[in-house]
Amino acid sequence: MRRYKVSGSWIKSFISVYLGILVWEFSGLSAKAVSPPTIDRTEECELLVIGGGLSGVAASYEALLAGKTVCMTEITDWVGGQISAQGTSALDERTTQRSRLFFPRGYLEFRERIAKYYDQLNPGDCWVSESCFLPKDANELMWQQLKDAEAKGQGTLKWFPTTVVKDLEVQTIPGEGTGKQITSVVAIQHSPQNENLPLNTLPLSSTIEDAYTYEDSKVFSKETIQFVPQAKSDKTADWYVIEATETGEIVGLADVPYRLGVDPRSAFEPSSSSLTGDPYCTQGFTYTFAMEATEEAQEHQLPDFYSQHQNYYSYELERLADFGLVFTYRRIWSPKRGELEKFGGIEFTAPTPGDISMQNWTWGNDYRPGTAQDNLIYTREQLEELGQLNPGGWLGGLRTETLSKGEDHALGYFYWLVKGTTDSQLGDDVKKPHPNHRLLTGLDSPMGTAHGLSKYPYIREGRRIIGRVYPGYSQGFTVTEIDISRADYRDEHYSESLSPTTYRQLWKVVDGIDAISNKNMNLEEIKRRTRSTIYPDSVGIGHYAIDFHPCMNESPPEKAGNTEREGERQGGGQAYPFQIPLRAMIPQDLDNLIVTGKSIATSHIAAAAYRVHSFEWSSGAAAGVAASFSLDEEIMPYQLIDESFLKETKLQLLKKKLDQSGNPTAFPNTSIFNQDWEDWQ
């Protein structure tokens, strides 16, 4: 096990970047009509996986084991997403699922690789998880896992790091379904223009718009790549494109129907904070960073933006107001175990010099915009106004200024941890300085960046597709709050916040009966189901609490006295073990696009549980197996579920293939008759 070196302080890093190496600004870009590019290279594949995060890696892993040719693109130069490029290298798992090790095979394999590499599963001795580790190591281990799958399955992996998708070609293919398929994809791969300015020197906000333009710049040289099917044939589809980006980028670019932010309050989303919905209020995003405990106090220079952000930071709750507790929460490396301590009922080993902590804290480096002036992920209307939906106009679909503010916010939080004396939620005399720590920066640091922040922010919520119309889903298929939540809907909040008609409908659906014909029926007599919705087309599983990092009321989010959006936490709480239906992965309008990860068809509240590590892997594995199966069987995914489920023999074959390969489609004892899930914690 090797240690990472520290290449200077974070202040030196930023000064060298912004003053010494390059004074450069790529601002004022607006999307305009762009001439068709000159294609530098054409690549053929059976599966094009766009996004190298956990769901994209899982899809590629399964397709490689099936012997397929897989092209995988990724905006950063690391594979693994949450566990690597986004820095959240602490596995979010539920107690029972973890104790039974009831996870997809590839996820279990990764856990085993972690344990073997470190000679333990939890080298950080963190208390939030049973496995916390270094992001840079996670990238290397995940890459080796992909290469081993390639060799074992005799597939072919074509890896395209630092590559973004610029445009899609969609054609109408005669036949059933929508008749529309993605027939080619144009992408841009960038590499350093100057050896003195290597990749990961500048923060993402400084380079993201440049990455989406065809022309070479002072920072990047570019290559335009066209992805096409490996072979043209008379099959239903020549290839499949898997949307595995962190923000639902291809969903936005393809302009298929989707939702963003808060859904309107209804019988299916009764805890919603909005009567009408709010597309600007998504969950907060986070630039993580790694900090090391040191023997001696370090010099820390006050950032010039700190005064704007300091009135946001807080330990949040009195039971959490301890620096050692916060440091060890997601500690990712601990070479020498300290003494056992306890604060707020939580036991942890005290930090010792050399310990490394990854920070991901709601009232710390979470950046939580929630208005039309600062939302990170552009809505369809905003994209249209900016011209990003014009041919060649796509620039990633994110607000660059908000990314930049999020970067400042994270660096300000580090300064608050080591030097701050204020606490926005708990008041005076709570926060003390802790200068014996340093931010780990440099290309060989845990985050692999010169500035010390993660290569890409941890995204909790992106664009979420609206599935196709099915019986019972006249507005398009969606997994909603009531499909998974353990909430007590007899709480007076619901009878008071919902109309009588909506409240009655809520009890009709959570009861599981087809209808309540007697309008005078006493609702107190109705017994709600105590399990999640069971889907006959389930292709994966997940379990996690419905966990919110709510948007803030005013802009900017860090504004002094700002508060969380009222009612956003109402839907938070425990969830039943849940399933991933195939219908949630099939978008409208395109027949050969499969959606995975955080962009499947879920509501805002359901998405708060459908976002953690093992879920992402399960959904990605399902996408990879489903795409490979569809190619082999010459059937399109939507055709697996376009008739009565009892008649769908190919669907049953797909589910059997998943289950037998170690990718469970249901938790043990899942049945409409089993209402006892209290043991699943």
Side-chain angles (χ1 to χ4, degrees):
M1 172 61 208
R2 67 181 183 281
R3 281 295 316 280
Y4 293 108
K5 298 179 181 179
V6 180
S7 60
S9 71
W10 68 278
I11 286 293
K12 289 180 180 178
S13 173
F14 265 62
I15 290 176
S16 67
V17 168
Y18 286 106
L19 300 180
I21 296 178
L22 176 68
V23 179
W24 176 77
E25 183 179 8
F26 205 91
S27 62
L29 263 180
S30 60
K32 301 177 181 178
V34 177
S35 301
T38 299
I39 302 299
D40 298 311
R41 180 159 49 123
T42 298
E43 293 286 349
E44 298 181 347
C45 34
E46 293 174 285
L47 273 71
L48 171 59
V49 179
I50 304 174
L54 281 176
S55 62
V57 168
S60 300
Y61 171 86
E62 290 294 339
L64 290 169
L65 287 173
K68 303 304 179 189
T69 299
V70 179
C71 299
M72 183 169 66
T73 69
E74 163 61 17
I75 189 172
T76 74
D77 57 347
W78 279 2
V79 294
Q82 283 196 50
I83 60 169
S84 56
Q86 296 170 43
T88 51
S89 52
L91 299 180
D92 289 319
E93 299 170 344
R94 298 304 292 171
T95 305
T96 307
Q97 188 179 14
R98 180 175 58 225
S99 67
R100 299 191 184 190
L101 291 178
F102 202 74
F103 297 108
R105 62 174 174 178
Y107 183 85
L108 288 172
E109 181 182 335
F110 177 71
R111 290 173 101 256
E112 291 168 359
R113 286 174 181 264
I114 288 289
K116 182 178 180 180
Y117 181 75
Y118 292 104
D119 292 325
Q120 57 180 311
L121 189 59
N122 190 6
D125 193 28
C126 64
W127 56 266
V128 70
S129 170
E130 287 197 1
S131 185
C132 293
F133 42 86
L134 295 161
K136 190 168 187 177
D137 292 342
N139 163 64
E140 294 174 1
L141 292 172
M142 188 62 78
W143 175 250
Q144 189 58 54
Q145 184 170 333
L146 277 174
K147 295 301 289 183
D148 288 349
E150 179 185 35
K152 182 178 180 180
Q154 296 185 329
T156 301
L157 174 62
K158 298 181 179 182
W159 164 235
F160 299 90
T162 61
T163 300
V164 298
V165 169
K166 181 67 174 178
D167 220 339
L168 310 173
E169 181 181 357
V170 176
Q171 293 183 3
T172 299
I173 309 294
E176 300 177 358
T178 68
K180 294 181 180 179
Q181 295 186 26
I182 298 173
T183 54
S184 73
V185 173
V186 175
I188 303 170
Q189 185 172 45
H190 59 271
S191 57
Q193 188 77 270
N194 187 328
E195 63 180 12
N196 294 319
L197 195 66
L199 292 173
N200 304 307
T201 301
L202 297 170
L204 180 66
S205 66
S206 296
T207 61
I208 189 168
E209 291 183 354
D210 185 5
Y212 282 89
T213 61
Y214 290 118
E215 298 79 16
D216 289 350
S217 68
K218 295 179 180 178
V219 177
F220 295 140
S221 60
K222 318 280 182 65
E223 184 177 30
T224 302
I225 305 169
Q226 183 178 40
F227 295 100
V228 297
Q230 184 167 289
K232 296 286 185 179
S233 69
D234 295 329
K235 294 181 179 180
T236 50
D238 296 318
W239 70 339
Y240 285 95
V241 178
I242 296 179
E243 153 66 284
T245 66
E246 303 300 324
T247 62
E249 182 179 338
I250 305 307
V251 169
L253 175 58
D255 202 20
V256 298
Y258 62 88
R259 297 185 179 93
L260 190 60
V262 180
D263 298 294
R265 193 176 304 154
S266 69
F268 302 95
E269 196 86 347
S271 302
S272 173
S273 63
S274 173
L275 285 171
T276 58
D278 185 347
Y280 308 114
C281 180
T282 59
Q283 291 223 41
F285 69 93
T286 308
Y287 275 101
T288 61
F289 57 82
M291 58 188 293
E292 182 181 38
T294 60
E295 290 277 5
E296 305 294 332
Q298 306 294 305
E299 292 186 10
H300 299 285
Q301 184 174 334
L302 178 71
D304 57 9
F305 49 76
Y306 183 70
S307 61
Q308 181 177 341
H309 295 263
Q310 67 174 334
N311 292 313
Y312 172 92
Y313 306 125
S314 173
Y315 284 133
E316 184 176 1
L317 301 171
E318 289 185 5
R319 64 179 177 84
L320 301 176
D322 179 78
F323 180 87
L325 180 143
V326 172
F327 184 90
T328 58
Y329 180 50
R330 283 186 168 90
R331 180 171 48 191
I332 55 179
W333 175 242
S334 182
K336 180 181 178 182
R337 301 297 160 90
E339 297 295 322
L340 189 65
E341 295 187 358
K342 188 173 183 178
F343 187 90
I346 299 172
E347 288 188 345
F348 56 94
T349 55
T352 59
D355 282 7
I356 299 175
S357 172
M358 177 268 291
Q359 286 296 312
N360 176 16
W361 195 255
T362 305
W363 283 91
N365 45 341
D366 274 14
Y367 199 63
R368 301 191 277 164
T371 71
Q373 290 71 48
D374 59 12
N375 62 310
L376 174 65
I377 302 174
Y378 285 133
T379 65
R380 188 190 185 283
E381 290 72 20
Q382 290 172 321
L383 290 172
E384 199 166 36
E385 290 174 4
L386 292 166
Q388 290 206 36
L389 297 182
N390 294 339
W394 187 250
L395 292 174
L398 302 180
R399 190 187 300 270
T400 305
E401 297 84 357
T402 297
L403 281 175
S404 179
K405 292 292 289 293
E407 292 158 356
D408 288 348
H409 192 69
L411 292 169
Y413 174 55
F414 170 74
Y415 186 84
W416 180 83
L417 285 171
V418 296
K419 296 288 285 184
T421 57
T422 61
D423 190 299
S424 67
Q425 305 302 301
L426 301 179
D428 297 333
D429 301 322
V430 173
K431 177 64 176 64
K432 307 298 181 184
H434 296 273
N436 289 43
H437 297 84
R438 59 185 169 192
L439 184 72
L440 296 184
T441 63
L443 302 183
D444 58 350
S445 68
M447 296 296 171
T449 61
H451 43 78
L453 299 178
S454 54
K455 296 174 184 245
Y456 198 87
Y458 171 42
I459 303 292
R460 295 181 176 85
E461 180 183 1
R463 300 178 183 90
R464 313 180 310 271
I465 63 167
I466 302 172
R468 300 189 180 194
V469 173
Y470 296 99
Y473 298 91
S474 60
Q475 302 303 309
F477 183 87
T478 303
V479 177
T480 63
E481 171 192 349
I482 62 167
D483 290 314
I484 66 170
S485 178
R486 298 194 194 211
D488 177 12
Y489 293 122
R490 294 206 184 278
D491 186 288
E492 64 181 12
H493 168 82
Y494 297 98
S495 59
E496 293 176 358
S497 64
L498 302 174
S499 70
T501 299
T502 302
Y503 186 64
R504 176 169 286 271
Q505 186 185 12
L506 164 65
W507 278 98
K508 172 179 133 178
V509 290
V510 299
D511 179 59
I513 61 177
D514 293 331
I516 299 177
S517 56
N518 183 356
K519 293 183 179 180
N520 297 319
M521 179 179 287
N522 183 359
L523 296 183
E524 296 300 319
E525 298 175 1
I526 300 175
K527 184 179 180 180
R528 68 160 293 180
R529 67 169 184 267
T530 53
R531 58 164 172 79
S532 64
T533 297
I534 297 173
Y535 299 102
D537 60 329
S538 175
V539 289
I541 59 170
H543 191 204
Y544 201 68
I546 301 172
D547 180 33
F548 277 103
H549 294 238
C551 73
M552 303 298 282
N553 272 314
E554 299 181 71
S555 179
E558 69 274 12
K559 180 180 178 181
N562 207 353
T563 56
E564 294 180 349
R565 183 67 55 85
E566 184 178 358
E568 265 294 274
R569 290 188 184 269
Q570 178 65 39
Q574 297 303 309
Y576 294 108
F578 49 78
Q579 296 180 319
I580 305 169
L582 182 59
R583 283 169 291 176
M585 302 170 66
I586 300 176
Q588 299 179 32
D589 299 344
L590 287 171
D591 292 338
N592 68 336
L593 177 65
I594 301 176
V595 178
T596 187
K598 293 182 281 283
S599 291
I600 68 171
T602 57
S603 69
H604 174 65
I605 292 177
Y610 280 76
R611 66 175 176 82
V612 295
H613 304 80
S614 64
F615 152 74
E616 278 209 47
W617 189 280
S618 186
S619 67
V625 174
S628 301
F629 178 86
S630 295
L631 287 171
D632 292 342
E633 297 292 328
E634 299 187 19
I635 188 171
M636 304 200 77
Y638 79 86
Q639 294 174 317
L640 295 169
I641 46 178
D642 62 354
E643 295 184 24
S644 167
F645 292 114
L646 294 176
K647 298 180 181 179
E648 294 288 11
T649 57
K650 289 291 181 71
L651 173 63
Q652 300 311 314
L653 286 175
L654 171 62
K655 289 170 63 69
K656 184 177 180 180
K657 188 177 186 67
L658 283 160
D659 286 321
Q660 291 183 343
S661 66
N663 292 295
T665 62
F667 283 92
N669 302 317
T670 295
S671 163
I672 60 173
F673 303 109
N674 181 14
Q675 298 283 336
D676 184 10
W677 290 89
E678 292 307 311
D679 290 341
W680 280 82
Q681 300 299 318

